[in-house]
Amino acid sequence: MGIAREWQKLKAMGCFFAKKQNPVFAVYDYIHKKKKYGIRTDVYFKLGLDSIPFANLASYVSYDEYVDIIENKINNDLEAQKILRDKGTTLRRLPAHLLKREFLDLRYCDFEDFYSFVNRHKKIVVKVYNSAMGNQVNVIDTEREQLTGEANKEKLEKVFADYQKNALYIIEEYIHQHHEWSRINPDCVNTIRVHTVKSSEGKYEACWHWFARFGRKGESIDMRNAFVVLVDPENGRIITDALDEGIGRREWFLPRESPMKEMNEAANVRFKDIVVPFKDEIKAVVEEAAALFPEIKLIGWDVALTEDGPAIVEGNGCPVAFTPIQQLYATISGGVFYREELENVMKKI
């Protein structure tokens, strides 16, 4: 299986270079960019970096370089990082008006608390306390799963024990999102990633472009096969076509269609026609939340939109959304990447 896969890669690369007007120069371009800028093979082909001038790649930040900067130069307090990696710790530090939902941490409650919570909410979200990238996140319809009421109490006791056994400690009330956001995709809670930075003067402020993620129709979690777009924080307007991560995450050596989409077919609207509700409130909410985590200099906040305003979903201390932000930004900047914006944040710190 591994040999066949490697052969597919080599064959795809051979076909790619053979189709070039000057195959020898194309191979040189690939080797030089890979060595000089730390570009991985899959990134080179998926992002079409063969068409990007050498000069532009000085602005490219590789994933490995970005993680090194975050972990060793910005958020280099490993103990502080553990705060955000534990979703229960994060939620307990955030006040109710920033969460706009109830939650339980099963490490700090008993079955009667759980029983009462499930019977108050028709829909709940169940998470591993330290998961990332939407892994082990489940949306449960409590009535459809027959978990409510005295008649199902014994069944719910088994569910409670199973959740604790599998570290599914975080139980949250499902977020009912803003009608405009729900129109784009009603099947899941669609989130916006907003980064905050703590300056050397102790000021907390939102930075970089915002990054909106829309789950694919039928998906209950927006991290799975999502459409992602860039948002201008000044006016709240989406300024790029959508990157289809369902396509972008495929093996780079397999035939595929373009990963960029102009239309949101489910809502029958162009992505660039969409304006994010509550843009000013979003900025205020993440800056208020950041001030509650003074140990961590750069945080990527996931924000949902309810009818009553923005709600913090979670915070991330090593926010890998930088990679698609950089990729989307290059589509509107003439191929210039995001190094300058990263350096501007580092200057503030």
Side-chain angles (χ1 to χ4, degrees), residues 146-328:
Q146 297 182 331
L147 299 177
T148 58
E150 189 68 28
N152 294 307
K153 195 167 186 178
E154 186 175 338
K155 178 181 179 180
L156 193 60
E157 285 178 331
K158 293 178 181 177
V159 170
F160 179 72
D162 185 60
Y163 285 173
Q164 290 193 314
K165 178 182 177 182
N166 292 289
L168 290 162
Y169 298 136
I170 309 305
I171 316 296
E172 300 179 37
E173 175 187 357
Y174 186 79
I175 296 172
H176 296 281
Q177 63 187 348
H178 189 276
H179 64 277
E180 279 298 313
W181 227 227
S182 188
R183 181 173 67 89
I184 295 164
N185 185 353
D187 295 327
C188 72
V189 178
N190 307 289
T191 59
I192 302 168
R193 170 65 61 84
V194 184
H195 295 82
T196 55
V197 59
K198 178 186 178 183
S199 71
S200 56
E201 292 82 27
K203 181 181 178 183
Y204 300 87
E205 57 184 80
C207 62
W208 297 342
H209 287 82
W210 298 353
F211 172 74
R213 186 185 304 269
F214 304 118
R216 191 178 298 274
K217 189 171 178 60
E219 292 281 5
S220 60
I221 305 298
D222 70 347
M223 285 294 298
R224 299 168 186 163
N225 300 324
F227 294 102
V228 294
V229 294
L230 216 56
V231 178
D232 183 344
E234 296 301 317
N235 55 31
R237 186 173 293 278
I238 291 174
I239 54 176
T240 64
D241 292 334
L243 172 64
D244 185 343
E245 290 193 319
I247 291 174
R249 286 179 179 169
R250 289 184 198 169
E251 299 283 17
W252 58 264
F253 51 86
L254 297 178
R256 59 187 174 87
E257 56 184 299
S258 169
M260 301 304 294
K261 303 291 183 185
E262 179 184 359
M263 290 289 296
N264 181 330
E265 295 173 0
N268 195 30
V269 295
R270 291 174 70 248
F271 285 103
K272 291 181 183 177
D273 290 336
I274 299 170
V275 178
V276 177
F278 304 117
K279 69 175 182 65
D280 294 331
E281 290 88 343
I282 290 171
K283 183 174 181 294
V285 159
V286 296
E287 290 176 351
E288 181 181 351
L292 300 172
F293 295 82
E295 312 96 323
I296 306 171
K297 298 172 186 174
L298 180 72
I299 302 176
W301 298 101
D302 289 331
V303 181
L305 299 176
T306 75
E307 296 291 357
D308 298 322
I312 297 287
V313 176
E314 64 181 29
N316 300 273
C318 188
V320 295
F322 181 90
T323 298
I325 287 175
Q326 176 173 243
Q327 182 178 351
L328 286 164

Side-chain angles (χ1 to χ4, degrees), residues 11-54:
K11 187 167 67 172
M13 290 173 66
C15 290
F16 174 84
F17 293 127
K19 291 176 182 177
K20 294 293 185 180
Q21 189 172 1
N22 188 334
V24 174
F25 177 79
V27 172
Y28 168 77
D29 179 88
Y30 162 70
I31 293 172
H32 181 68
K33 289 176 179 175
K34 183 178 176 67
K35 184 176 180 180
K36 183 174 177 63
Y37 300 108
I39 296 168
R40 297 195 309 239
T41 299
D42 61 327
V43 172
Y44 180 87
F45 286 98
K46 282 199 294 187
L47 300 194
L49 296 187
D50 58 298
S51 62
I52 301 296
F54 282 106

